[in-house]
Amino acid sequence: MAGWIFVVSLVLALVAVYRPFGDYMYRVVTGTRSSVAERGIYRLVGVNPAAEQTWGVYARSVLAFSAVSVLFLYLLLRVQDKLWLSLGLPAVTDHIAWNTAVSFVTNTNWQAYSGESTMGHLAQMAGLAVQNFVSAGIGIAVAVALIRGFAARRSGTLGNFWVDLTRITLRILLPVCALAALILMVGGVVQNLSGGTDVTTLTGATQHLTGGPVASQEAVKLLGTNGGGFYNTNSAHPFENPTTWTNWFQIFLIFLIPFSLPRVFGRMVGQNRQGYAIVAVMGILAIASVALTVGFEVHGGGTVPQAVGAAMEGKDVRFGVPDSAAFAAATTLTSTGAVNSFHDSFTPFGGMMPIVNMMLGEVAPGGVGSGLYGLLILAVITVFVAGLMVGRTPEYLGKKIGAREMKLASLYFLVTPTLVLAGTAAAFATGNNSTALNVGPHGLSEVLYAFTSAANNNGSAFGGITVNTPWWDTALGLAMLLGRFLPIVLVLALAGSLARQRATPESEGTLPTHQPLFVGMVVGVTVVLVALTFLPALALGPIAEGLS
Amino acid sequence: MTPTDHPTTTLEPPEGRAVERQADTPPQPRRTVQGGLLDPKQLRQAVPGALAKLDPRTLWHNPVMLIVEAGALFTTVLAVTGPSVLAWSITVWLWLTVVFANLAEAVAEGRGKAQAATLRQSKKDTVARRLVDGVERLTPAAELKQGDTVVVEAGETIPGDGDVIEGIASVDESAITGESAPVIRESGGDRSAVTGGTKVLSDRIVVRITQKPGESFVDRMIALVEGANRQKTPNEIALNILLAALTLIFLLSVVTLQPLAIFSKAWQAAAPDTAAIDAHGVTGIVLVSLIVCLIPTTIGALLSAIGIAGMDRLVQRNVLAMSGRAVEAAGDVNTLLLDKTGTITLGNRQAAEFVPVEGVTALTLADAAQLASLADETPEGRSIVVLAKTEFGLREREPGLIADAVFVPFTAQTRMSGVDLGDRQIRKGAAAAVISWAGGATAEVASVVDEISSSGGTPLVVAEQGRILGVIHLKDVVKPGMKERFDEMRKMGIRTVMITGDNPRTAKAIADEAGVDDFLAEATPEDKLAYIRKEQEGGRLVAMTGDGTNDAPALAQADVGVAMNTGTSAAKEAGNMVDLDSDPTKLIEIVEIGKQLLITRGALTTFSITNDIAKYFAIIPAMFAAVYPGLDTLNVMRLHSPGSAILSAVIFNALVIVALIPLALKGVRYTPSSASSLLRRNLLVYGLGGVVAPFLGIKIIDLLIQFIPGI
């Protein structure tokens, strides 16, 4: 019952904010008036806010900004012991620093380290938190650029990256995070600059409890679908996520931007119903996934789960099974990767769901921005096949999907499966999969999960394997880097190609892309494509485990 | 080498010679319109072609099939080094898969071959009588250059495409059009174009050659029907990209499976080795089978056949598309420009009503009108006689049987015609002319005349001895069924626009009656061009027909320009299709063929992809149930053994190609309707059908092959 209220109230809250928050974001990304702070930033960076960029310039700006970010973050981590607020922690080792820098710049937040024993407060605030904001901002900016491609009429330009990033960060991410941090503090999340307290536990041992700017980190960790926790145990830690209702609020924050962005899409292309269609696809996939995950966990097989009534291993009693399962689904349906339970301990099928969610390409609703552009790519592929079946060369929102568009969409679709499957195969082929715990189908799932998470920029971990080795840090770092920026470049190229076209007017013969039939078809294409790609690997992992 | 790739020097006839040498192929029966059905004879004839296409250099343009061939080659090696019934069975079926795909293409191409042979007949070694400074010189036809003038007399074959610059002749064009009735070709005007290879039946004409050597209309036709220089259309390229991407994904997902399989097998070391998996992982034979079953072989095999068959369906309707691109564009057309006369209306005004005036009975008027029209052989005159018969039962009187009848023919000066019966004088004609002959008209007559004019009709006034009897209402008659056709078009999202030289008032009346969406009245060629440009500015695709030289700019501007074969060479050059029957309504069929082509591609792609679901349920348990017995739960079809499951999937995959060849050639069923209902139907048939069919097919094959020992 509590589980039902939890999920239903969450859905209602998201429905309630869809229009107002979506409209607000629409005004931010289409607005032209700059505040004093924004003008200051433009002068500092040296950009003319009125100058429009072609896709090539836009893409180079994204890449340049991200390259500088990786470099800066890497250096910061490598010299943190010589700077302030390091809490006496040593410099981060080279492969972990590389992995972490890439991880935070790519909005993945894969953590190959334990937060409280590796990162000082300065690294957390000036390094990681900053990237939590701007990496999320980049995702939204790229999505908006793609929408501009659909909306443009032979202009060939996609807006200005520096303006987009500035406005999105200052007007969307910062204010909402400030508010959310306050709410989390009210809920009991800590916020201080303390170096920690030593306490004596019930059994008489001494435990070091690290304090820190947790609430502010936490807000952007979720709102920006980042997922990098202040503590190693992430949202299972009572300082990060103390109660059921903070848990509810955290999931709400995760979904807030991704589920509202289709509204921005609908408004920018001038047809709100197109936004509703996209959000319907996201909603159907998300609800199905949450229902399945919760179902598998509540009715999980196995001796222990049956004895205690549900699969409680690895879950915190203050959340219980449904809330933990819902969080697991939410964090993997988006590119968040925060966790409040141990996915490795889920039932085989319950544990398969987070993997499948990520394999869907994180489009339901996906990471901030990345979810929308991922889903629009799938919509383009669907339109191509569906459009042929109505007897026209395919078009989406009046833009022809020709050879160039198809090439870019297909390449986009190829990137992540290639990284996931090649990475997993490489781990087994090179023998980097084995630790004592990694045996049989479950061990296979753990490796598959790691690469799925990295390539899709999720950042959550099944756990069970030691990943802070040079091989893993390098391989996963590459998976994150390529998994983030190859798709971005392809999306921007697609946007540029769409922006150069004139629009074909709609007629009775045009494939309607706002009707339930099309929504169903996008859902179908997404599920079928993913199933066909990953079924062999899944069969040897969670499916083999679950059916034994 | 395609004609367009060819350097445009005029002094290079080898291509023409090559065609001539091939010209002595045995004579073929006249081309007949072939149905979409596939008869076994066609299949047999295509087998040699299919085998020849196994050459990887030919297969290069089809990456999906190239991979299947590479796979087949690989399993052949494996079967030779480690022979088993399963290995050889799979190898044979993989080769058959490639052969079947080639067969589809060869059958589609074969249909054009017969036609090309007929056309070559017309390219016999003609010797042209070239005029050089007024003196005739005998020159081989292949050496004619642009601008040469030649003399052609009765019984001779016209040596090349050109325009008649002198004389008039009847010409037999059946070699190209299949229409045996001769046509008149004369200098000047819109009927001056002649085609090389056609035969002059009477008289003598002088023709100025307009073609370049080796690029005549017949050359282009031969190349087209043979698919010799067939290039992939834009949409075909886009679809090929999608198929290549899917192929890569499946290739990847199968190749990366191997380390995972080895790991799993090692962990379950006690599990028995099977034909599918051993300590070295999944066997090569099974891996290849899995790849071939998953990659979109069905659509990959049929894609080019679909394209060739689409062109062929046009050819069967006597339309020649100069490029596949134009056929595709036809499916996308938003606006159809149709000439009023001959397309929307029957082309002649017809008597629709007798309107008597001032106490005259309708019968009297009809009788007088009939008398006045007996000798009038124009369609208008005939229609008056017919109307008098149908309305009043007045039988037609033979002009010669009426005593003292003197018929007065129509002249441009009098603008009326009629008959003098003794002292009875009856006249009918243009309102103003007859009224002045009758010595003035009453207000009633004037108002009837005005009313008819304003409704878009033409009034013909009938008078006898200075007394006006009434008015005949002549109307442009809309062809039966046009309104329904336009309603269908509207459902398909296509606007129809009527082009006419009539004044706006007349045009509007006919437009309303015919149910077109818009009309362009008093249209000049410039207006047409401007209208097309305006539509295209708004992102719409425009199709039109035309035949005159002054249509050429508009034909060139339109996305689909269909030139009538009777038209000038300028028009034929400008358009991207030629209708050999010169039937402007054909445009509507062309649009439907274009749509059908695209739908067939989409439907078979969907079918091909959804097929994979069942194949997974066959192959995954077959591969891994030995390692993880729980996976046998996925064997929902309860297939006999791992070997039979994999072989069944491979056989199904091959047979489905053959089963779908007729559909690819015929095109899927297409009824004009809205996009949503089309999508719903096709998704149900080819999407759902694609999921269900292989479950049944694989199970049935498995039931049969389980009896083969060693499977």
Side-chain angles (χ1 to χ4, degrees):
Chain A
M1 187 61 208
W4 276 108
I5 296 172
F6 187 86
V7 174
V8 171
S9 60
L10 198 58
V11 172
L12 290 178
L14 289 166
V15 169
V17 297
Y18 175 76
R19 279 181 64 167
F21 189 63
D23 287 345
Y24 172 73
M25 288 196 288
Y26 166 75
R27 285 195 296 276
V28 171
V29 295
T30 55
T32 48
R33 294 212 344 239
S34 311
S35 67
V36 179
E38 285 159 359
R39 276 198 297 273
I41 291 173
Y42 301 149
R43 260 199 298 279
L44 202 70
V45 188
V47 297
N48 169 11
E52 290 268 316
Q53 295 177 322
T54 60
W55 83 264
V57 180
Y58 204 104
R60 279 199 293 277
S61 307
V62 173
L63 295 181
F65 182 80
S66 302
V68 170
S69 297
V70 172
L71 207 63
F72 172 79
L73 190 51
Y74 177 80
L75 290 175
L76 183 70
L77 298 179
R78 295 288 286 149
V79 299
Q80 78 156 347
D81 55 327
K82 300 184 179 60
L83 301 170
W84 318 271
L85 288 173
S86 68
L87 311 180
L89 292 166
V92 183
T93 56
D94 53 1
H95 56 90
I96 292 182
W98 134 265
N99 185 285
T100 306
V102 168
S103 167
F104 277 76
V105 171
T106 56
N107 196 245
T108 312
N109 296 31
W110 173 269
Q111 291 168 292
Y113 59 91
S114 164
E116 55 270 54
S117 59
T118 314
M119 299 295 167
H121 289 337
L122 186 72
Q124 291 271 18
M125 290 191 297
L128 305 185
V130 168
Q131 285 310 319
N132 279 349
F133 277 100
V134 291
S135 69
I138 288 175
I140 300 174
V142 171
V144 167
L146 177 60
I147 304 172
R148 287 195 188 113
F150 279 110
R153 298 287 178 263
R154 305 192 75 179
S155 67
T157 53
L158 303 174
N160 185 313
F161 168 71
W162 306 105
V163 175
D164 286 341
L165 183 62
T166 309
R167 291 179 70 90
I168 290 164
T169 309
L170 292 187
R171 295 187 190 222
I172 299 175
L173 298 172
L174 269 178
V176 179
C177 277
L179 191 66
L182 276 176
I183 295 172
L184 285 170
M185 277 190 265
V186 172
V189 181
V190 300
Q191 177 78 5
N192 56 39
L193 286 177
S194 147
T197 329
D198 286 321
V199 293
T200 310
T201 63
L202 285 175
T203 49
T206 308
Q207 191 177 359
H208 182 77
L209 296 179
T210 316
V214 182
S216 54
Q217 281 275 57
E218 199 63 9
V220 74
K221 165 187 115 179
L222 302 159
L223 184 76
T225 61
N226 291 291
F230 195 89
Y231 299 102
N232 189 35
T233 52
N234 212 300
S235 281
H237 197 290
F239 286 1
E240 280 199 30
N241 190 10
T243 61
T244 305
W245 83 258
T246 54
N247 192 46
W248 184 98
F249 185 65
Q250 293 208 342
I251 300 181
F252 175 77
L253 281 180
I254 288 175
F255 281 145
L256 178 63
I257 293 179
F259 263 129
S260 301
L261 272 176
R263 175 75 181 175
V264 180
F265 169 66
R267 292 222 36 193
M268 285 178 72
V269 299
Q271 292 182 53
N272 283 333
R273 57 192 189 176
Q274 302 289 355
Y276 286 117
I278 292 297
V279 83
V281 175
M282 292 174 166
I284 290 169
L285 287 170
I287 287 173
S289 171
V290 171
L292 283 172
T293 315
V294 174
F296 286 134
E297 289 310 290
V298 174
H299 307 289
T303 324
V304 179
Q306 303 243 308
V308 297
M312 269 310 290
E313 183 196 309
K315 299 189 183 69
D316 201 307
V317 281
R318 73 182 184 279
F319 301 132
V321 173
D323 294 11
S324 301
F327 196 102
T331 195
T332 48
L333 282 166
T334 61
S335 77
T336 312
V339 289
N340 76 348
S341 55
F342 202 43
H343 294 180
D344 205 8
S345 303
F346 276 32
T347 60
F349 287 123
M352 179 175 76
M353 288 313 295
I355 307 183
V356 171
N357 288 338
M358 292 186 284
M359 285 173 172
L360 288 174
E362 290 172 352
V363 291
V368 286
S370 60
L372 181 63
Y373 63 68
L375 191 53
L376 288 177
I377 295 278
L378 286 163
V380 163
I381 293 176
T382 309
V383 155
F384 186 79
V385 178
L388 284 179
M389 277 197 287
V390 306
R392 307 227 344 185
T393 59
E395 63 204 23
Y396 188 35
L397 299 166
K399 297 298 177 81
K400 288 276 177 210
I401 308 302
R404 183 177 158 81
E405 289 75 19
M406 229 29 230
K407 195 191 307 169
L408 295 168
S410 297
L411 282 173
Y412 178 100
F413 184 75
L414 275 171
V415 171
T416 21
T418 307
L419 294 173
V420 171
L421 293 172
T424 308
F428 283 102
T430 57
N432 274 294
N433 57 298
S434 56
T435 68
L437 288 169
N438 277 325
V439 282
H442 197 78
L444 198 147
S445 302
E446 288 169 351
V447 176
L448 184 63
Y449 193 114
F451 275 98
T452 309
S453 172
N456 284 289
N457 299 134
N458 183 277
S460 67
F462 220 35
I465 37 177
T466 313
V467 290
N468 58 356
T469 65
W471 190 89
W472 275 100
D473 281 335
T474 315
L476 292 180
L478 284 172
M480 290 187 281
L481 203 62
L482 297 174
R484 173 75 167 179
F485 292 107
L486 280 182
I488 282 185
V489 171
L490 293 167
V491 162
L492 289 173
L494 177 67
S497 152
L498 294 171
R500 280 195 296 273
Q501 290 187 31
R502 67 167 112 227
T504 312
E506 215 178 309
S507 77
E508 271 296 305
T510 313
L511 171 79
T513 50
H514 60 272
Q515 289 176 353
L517 188 64
F518 183 76
V519 170
M521 215 180 150
V522 179
V523 172
V525 166
T526 309
V527 172
V528 168
L529 278 184
V530 168
L532 294 181
T533 312
F534 293 107
L535 210 56
L538 287 173
L540 291 176
I543 298 178
E545 190 187 0
L547 290 177
S548 60
Chain B
M1 189 189 288
T2 66
T4 40
D5 288 338
H6 205 278
T8 49
T9 49
T10 45
L11 289 164
E12 205 165 333
E15 274 190 348
R17 290 227 179 91
V19 174
E20 279 157 44
R21 271 199 302 281
Q22 289 163 14
D24 39 28
T25 42
Q28 297 271 340
R30 256 213 58 67
R31 136 184 77 97
T32 50
V33 174
Q34 290 164 331
L37 287 173
L38 183 72
D39 74 76
K41 212 173 83 198
Q42 275 181 304
L43 272 182
R44 253 199 326 276
Q45 283 167 350
V47 168
L51 293 176
K53 281 172 193 282
L54 284 176
D55 185 340
R57 285 166 301 179
T58 322
L59 221 49
W60 182 248
H61 69 274
N62 188 343
V64 178
M65 279 302 138
L66 192 67
I67 292 207
V68 180
E69 185 169 48
L73 214 56
F74 181 57
T75 58
T76 310
V77 174
L78 291 179
V80 169
T81 51
S84 70
V85 178
L86 182 70
W88 276 113
S89 306
I90 285 179
T91 303
V92 168
W93 279 100
L94 290 182
W95 280 112
L96 282 177
T97 309
V98 191
V99 172
F100 290 162
N102 292 344
L103 202 60
E105 198 178 279
V107 168
E109 283 173 353
R111 300 174 145 213
K113 288 260 164 64
Q115 198 169 6
T118 321
L119 287 168
R120 287 214 176 87
Q121 292 293 302
S122 65
K123 278 197 62 81
K124 288 214 193 74
D125 236 343
T126 355
V127 178
R129 293 159 61 185
R130 188 157 66 98
L131 281 177
V132 185
D133 303 324
V135 184
E136 278 183 30
R137 280 206 197 146
L138 293 185
T139 312
E143 288 171 19
L144 288 177
K145 293 192 268 303
Q146 264 178 305
D148 286 352
T149 50
V150 293
V151 177
V152 194
E153 276 183 325
E156 292 176 345
T157 305
I158 298 173
D161 301 352
D163 287 320
V164 181
I165 51 170
E166 196 186 312
I168 176 167
S170 60
V171 179
D172 172 13
E173 294 195 337
S174 61
I176 297 163
T177 63
E179 177 60 57
S180 53
V183 292
I184 301 295
R185 291 285 177 258
E186 58 187 330
S187 61
D190 285 349
R191 293 198 300 176
S192 63
V194 288
T195 312
T198 58
K199 211 168 170 184
V200 173
L201 294 178
S202 70
D203 305 289
R204 169 186 188 272
I205 46 174
V206 178
V207 176
R208 179 185 290 122
I209 299 295
T210 52
Q211 67 165 86
K212 288 175 192 158
E215 289 180 31
S216 74
F217 190 63
V218 173
D219 288 326
R220 279 193 289 168
M221 266 181 85
I222 292 173
L224 273 170
V225 292
E226 286 200 316
N229 50 1
R230 211 179 84 80
Q231 285 167 342
K232 285 191 180 128
T233 59
N235 175 260
E236 223 176 330
I237 294 170
L239 183 53
N240 254 318
I241 289 170
L242 178 66
L243 298 182
L246 286 171
T247 307
L248 273 177
I249 288 243
F250 291 130
L251 210 55
L252 183 83
S253 104
V254 173
V255 170
T256 55
L257 188 60
Q258 193 65 305
L260 278 60
I262 295 170
F263 167 80
S264 303
K265 184 70 170 65
W267 188 63
Q268 296 282 66
D273 287 354
T274 66
I277 191 166
D278 55 31
H280 304 294
V282 181
T283 58
I285 299 264
V286 173
L287 271 188
V288 172
S289 306
L290 182 58
I291 291 175
V292 171
C293 285
L294 292 180
I295 63 176
T297 46
T298 315
I299 180 68
L302 297 173
L303 187 56
S304 73
I306 294 171
I308 298 169
M311 297 283 268
D312 193 49
R313 277 199 295 282
L314 277 177
V315 172
Q316 283 169 29
R317 286 167 179 75
N318 258 348
V319 176
L320 287 181
M322 295 304 163
S323 71
R325 187 188 286 258
V327 188
E328 237 165 49
D332 279 356
V333 160
N334 304 84
T335 311
L336 274 188
L337 300 191
L338 298 171
D339 276 323
K340 182 200 79 176
T341 312
T343 309
I344 297 173
T345 64
L346 287 170
N348 306 305
R349 289 165 303 172
Q350 309 229 316
E353 194 189 1
F354 295 113
V355 189
V357 293
E358 288 155 14
V360 177
T361 65
L363 185 65
T364 316
L365 172 63
D367 186 56
Q370 190 223 35
L371 278 172
S373 307
L374 284 178
D376 184 353
E377 288 298 334
T378 63
E380 288 89 348
R382 301 312 305 156
S383 76
I384 294 172
V385 176
V386 170
L387 185 70
K389 186 174 177 185
T390 51
E391 293 253 304
F392 301 100
L394 292 173
R395 282 206 296 139
E396 185 179 340
R397 288 163 280 201
E398 283 297 316
L401 294 180
I402 305 165
D404 308 330
V406 179
F407 291 97
V408 181
F410 178 88
T411 67
Q413 283 76 42
T414 59
R415 295 203 293 149
M416 56 186 166
S417 63
V419 66
D420 293 343
L421 296 163
D423 51 0
R424 258 182 98 187
Q425 288 184 314
I426 306 171
R427 292 291 182 272
K428 71 158 207 300
V434 178
I435 288 169
S436 78
W437 176 76
T442 58
E444 191 189 350
V445 174
S447 82
V448 170
V449 166
D450 276 353
E451 203 175 298
I452 292 174
S453 300
S454 66
S455 73
T458 309
L460 277 190
V461 177
V462 182
E464 185 176 350
Q465 249 82 26
R467 177 178 169 230
I468 289 175
L469 300 176
V471 186
I472 307 170
H473 186 166
L474 289 184
K475 256 169 95 170
D476 236 345
V477 178
V478 173
K479 282 186 183 172
M482 288 318 279
K483 204 177 170 70
E484 290 71 26
R485 250 356 224 301
F486 295 144
D487 284 344
E488 275 178 10
M489 291 278 127
R490 206 164 298 120
K491 249 184 258 160
M492 291 154 63
I494 297 173
R495 283 174 73 248
T496 42
V497 181
M498 184 182 85
I499 309 283
T500 172
D502 292 343
N503 62 52
R505 206 165 58 174
T506 312
K508 181 164 185 347
I510 297 165
D512 288 346
E513 196 185 332
V516 294
D517 297 286
D518 194 7
F519 64 88
L520 191 60
E522 290 172 349
T524 61
E526 292 75 37
D527 291 342
K528 270 196 215 180
L529 191 60
Y531 194 94
I532 294 173
R533 288 228 172 98
K534 193 188 83 194
E535 289 287 300
Q536 289 173 334
E537 263 321 292
R540 281 176 281 266
L541 261 64
V542 184
M544 70 166 285
T545 59
D547 51 8
T549 300
N550 54 15
D551 282 333
L555 277 172
Q557 179 74 33
D559 302 280
V560 178
V562 183
M564 303 290 105
N565 190 48
T566 52
T568 58
S569 24
K572 284 202 251 180
E573 201 62 43
N576 45 19
M577 290 191 200
V578 175
D579 179 17
L580 300 175
D581 296 342
S582 304
D583 170 12
T585 41
K586 201 80 74 62
L587 199 47
I588 297 172
E589 278 173 68
I590 293 172
V591 168
E592 292 185 355
I593 290 173
K595 286 196 179 290
Q596 196 188 26
L597 172 74
L598 293 170
I599 294 176
T600 308
R601 269 186 210 149
L604 291 184
T605 306
T606 310
F607 187 83
S608 195
I609 297 171
T610 47
N611 263 212
D612 284 359
I613 297 170
K615 292 174 189 161
Y616 265 132
F617 279 96
I619 295 184
I620 287 186
M623 285 193 299
F624 299 128
V627 181
Y628 297 119
L631 286 177
D632 197 46
T633 322
L634 296 180
N635 183 6
V636 288
M637 287 174 273
R638 308 313 313 158
L639 301 176
H640 174 68
S641 69
S644 78
I646 291 163
L647 184 57
S648 302
V650 171
I651 294 177
F652 175 83
N653 196 51
L655 288 182
V656 83
I657 295 174
V658 180
L660 289 174
I661 291 179
L663 185 72
L665 297 185
K666 198 171 61 167
V668 303
R669 197 167 68 97
Y670 171 70
T671 40
S673 47
S674 72
S676 328
S677 54
L678 275 176
L679 180 62
R680 192 170 301 116
R681 179 185 172 275
N682 290 322
L683 209 51
L684 203 67
V685 175
Y686 299 98
L688 203 61
V691 176
V692 177
F695 278 104
L696 297 174
I698 292 174
K699 178 67 189 170
I700 291 169
I701 296 169
D702 181 74
L703 285 176
L704 293 175
I705 64 166
Q706 59 178 316
F707 301 110
I708 302 174
I711 299 289

